Structure formats: structure tokens, C-alpha cells
Amino acid sequence: QVQLVESGGGSVQAGGSLALSCEIDGRTFGSPYTMGWFRQAPGKEREFVAATNWAGRKRYLDSVEGRFTISRDNGENAVHLQMTSLKPEDTAVYYCVAATPGTLPIEAREYKSWGQGTQVTVSS
């Protein structure tokens, strides 16, 4: 369990871009945690978006692969999500998450640390 702080989010037009960032609060050294993003839209279940482990392996939701890029620097306690070609269906609250080092799960229950969430709204 670690404290996660998201930044970014906001409102953009369809086809636009937006970047999200997440930091582990209170730490300045590198972290081995798997880190990623979930999202939840009104009336829909919580949905895995992307994750990356300390070795640099990445997983993406099929509908965002090729449009979203997750990245991390092992020398910093942060993970980033660069979102391009945004669509109205990407509108959701996005949550930064962290899981046990060495894993790369897609199940929400495997992520033990969650940020407060940040709203992303894409208008058509």
C-alpha cells in the first residue's frame, strides 16, 4: 500500500491529446511497483487501461492500444499516460494504481494502491 497522487486530466475535443501523471507520495527514490491506470465511466464497470512493470513490460486495453502510451522511468517514482486521438468513449474518471512488484495484472483486485482519480472528458 502506497499513496498515489494523480495530476492532469481535463476536457478536450475528440481527436485531441491529454497527458496524465502519477507519483508515489513522499518518495523521491525509484520504486519497483507495477504501476498503471484504470478508468470508470458513468454506468460502466471499472476497466483496466494500461500498466507497466519495473522491467518495462507493458499491457494495454485493446481499445486504447496504439492511441495511449504508458511510460515510466525507473529512476523516478512516477508513471505517465500519454493519450492521443481521444474519443468521447474515453470519457471517464482515471485512477492511478500500483501492484506487487514483478506482476502485470489486469484485475482490479490485484492493485492494492489507488489514487483519488482524475476526470477526463472528451467532447465530440
Side-chain angles (χ1 to χ4, degrees):
Q1 178 76 19
V2 294
Q3 297 299 122
L4 304 175
V5 180
E6 297 119 326
S7 61
S11 298
V12 298
Q13 292 285 316
S17 299
L18 195 64
L20 307 180
S21 295
C22 174
E23 296 184 352
I24 299 176
D25 193 25
R27 302 188 186 187
T28 59
F29 52 86
S31 172
Y33 291 104
T34 291
M35 300 184 71
W37 299 87
F38 277 72
R39 67 186 184 186
Q40 188 165 28
K44 297 182 67 177
E45 293 185 339
R46 197 179 304 170
E47 182 177 48
F48 172 83
V49 177
T52 180
N53 68 8
W54 193 74
R57 290 182 55 234
K58 299 177 176 68
R59 298 180 73 174
Y60 293 95
L61 176 69
D62 287 347
S63 64
V64 309
E65 191 161 16
R67 299 188 297 117
F68 292 10
T69 301
I70 189 168
S71 63
R72 73 184 298 169
D73 187 334
N74 286 340
E76 66 180 17
N77 298 319
V79 63
H80 310 282
L81 187 68
Q82 178 65 49
M83 302 181 290
T84 63
S85 300
L86 283 162
K87 304 174 181 180
E89 52 263 45
D90 295 317
T91 295
V93 176
Y94 283 70
Y95 297 91
C96 180
V97 296
T100 302
T103 67
L104 197 58
I106 62 172
E107 300 88 358
R109 66 181 180 273
E110 297 297 325
Y111 289 87
K112 305 304 182 184
S113 299
W114 290 70
Q116 78 281 5
T118 186
Q119 178 71 46
V120 171
T121 302
V122 185
S123 59
S124 60

